[in-house]
């Protein structure tokens, strides 16, 4: 089954509870955390995760675009994250493995993320430790960018690794997902679709979520 994880980066932050209720037919709530260092933007952090936790029963899918996430993963779990993903580019292999262990130690799902320029093979040292792998289909930092179709060979390659070595692992894509690009991503093996602007700009949000799910 295809899962939809709307990104609240495109929500109205002055009406966050309302905008989270509006995506109640989705599967996850995607929360983009940016530190102004790993990516050239600053978004939201721990207090916001804590505040939105009681507003929804959906799992919080927290995408950490922060440098050396090992410093913060346990606190995001305590704040209410159900899934925590960390970038392979953000620290050493050793620390990334340790951070995945810390997330699992809190009883939460853990995964790694790869930026567009990072090759598929970069996920291999972490594959057995991952509940989810996230492939960026835009440069992280901003919503509303165009889908990079040239990431599809990477999605397909990682789908191959997952099927061979850790079939329970989910494969998520993030950036520029709309009704057309969703199909392309799914054809190439993705099963979790993050969508920010295409969900929040839709006149009929539940309709758009159903359309993306296909
Ligand atoms: C980008 C974020 C995305 C972003 C996607 O750094 O990781 O989750 O919100 O937005 P859209 O769907 O508008 O490309
Ligand atoms: Zn994201």
């Amino acid at each position: 089954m295809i899962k939809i994880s709307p990104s609240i980066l495109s929500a109205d932050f002055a009406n966050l509870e309302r905008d989270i209720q509006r995506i109640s037919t989705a599967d996850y709530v995607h929360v983009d955390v940016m530190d102004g260092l790993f990516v050239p933007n600053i978004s939201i952090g721990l207090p916001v995760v804590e505040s939105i936790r009681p507003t929804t029963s959906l799992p919080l899918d927290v995408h950490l675009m922060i440098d050396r996430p090992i410093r913060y993963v346990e606190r995001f779990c305590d704040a209410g994250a159900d899934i925590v993903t960390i970038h392979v580019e953000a620290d050493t292999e050793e620390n990334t493995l340790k951070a995945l262990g810390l997330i699992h130690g809190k009883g939460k799902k853990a995964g790694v993320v790869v930026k567009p320029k990072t090759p598929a093979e970069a996920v291999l040292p972490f594959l057995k430790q991952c509940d989810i792998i996230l492939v960026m289909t835009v440069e992280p930092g901003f919503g509303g960018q165009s889908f990079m179709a040239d990431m599809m060979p990477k999605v397909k390659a990682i789908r191959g690794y997952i099927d061979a070595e850790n079939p329970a692992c989910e494969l998520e894509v993030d950036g520029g997902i709309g009704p057309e690009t969703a199909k392309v991503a799914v054809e190439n093996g993705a099963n979790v679709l993050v969508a920010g602007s295409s969900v929040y700009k839709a006149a009929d949000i539940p309709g758009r979520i159903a359309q993306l799910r296909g």
Side-chain angles (χ1 to χ4, degrees):
M1 197 198 81
I2 303 304
K3 295 180 182 174
I4 307 300
S5 187
S7 167
I8 58 167
L9 192 59
S10 295
D12 173 1
F13 285 153
N15 290 288
L16 206 41
E17 180 168 15
R18 180 202 69 191
D19 276 5
I20 289 171
Q21 303 306 339
R22 284 185 172 160
I23 57 165
S24 61
T25 58
D27 300 278
Y28 301 149
V29 178
H30 188 79
V31 183
D32 286 304
V33 177
M34 306 180 187
D35 67 352
L37 183 62
F38 182 73
V39 287
N41 199 5
I42 298 176
S43 56
I44 52 177
L46 288 160
V48 175
V49 173
E50 221 171 275
S51 300
I52 65 176
R53 176 65 286 173
T55 71
T56 178
S57 55
L58 293 179
L60 299 182
D61 168 27
V62 177
H63 174 194
L64 296 182
M65 285 164 273
I66 67 174
D67 189 50
R68 289 168 290 138
I70 189 168
R71 299 174 296 150
Y72 288 102
V73 288
E74 289 181 293
R75 289 174 67 187
F76 276 98
C77 293
D78 292 341
D82 299 283
I83 303 165
V84 179
T85 57
I86 57 177
H87 274 264
V88 301
E89 306 89 357
D91 207 336
T92 61
E93 182 177 319
E94 187 189 354
N95 280 347
T96 301
L97 281 167
K98 272 190 199 157
L100 294 172
L102 292 174
I103 299 164
H104 283 144
K106 290 282 184 182
K108 307 301 176 95
K109 291 188 171 170
V112 293
V113 193
V114 283
K115 295 208 282 185
K117 290 190 185 75
T118 303
E121 308 84 75
V123 306
L124 288 172
F126 314 107
L127 184 55
K128 293 241 165 68
Q129 268 48 261
C130 285
D131 304 291
I132 189 163
I133 291 175
L134 171 51
V135 176
M136 293 306 301
T137 44
V138 297
E139 285 294 342
F142 302 91
Q145 304 180 75
S146 299
F147 179 75
M148 297 169 73
D150 53 336
M151 293 300 113
M152 292 306 100
K154 179 156 79 182
V155 171
K156 207 170 194 168
I158 295 176
R159 167 50 65 195
Y161 302 153
I162 287 175
D163 288 349
E165 292 182 43
N166 184 6
C169 182
E170 300 202 287
L171 180 53
E172 182 174 38
V173 286
D174 182 3
I177 299 293
E180 291 311 312
T181 54
K183 284 184 210 152
V184 177
V186 168
E187 272 162 23
N188 283 278
N191 78 298
V192 182
L193 310 176
V194 176
S197 44
S198 79
V199 166
Y200 278 107
K201 284 203 178 123
D204 170 12
I205 290 180
R208 175 55 55 86
I209 290 169
Q211 186 185 15
L212 290 171
R213 209 181 262 124

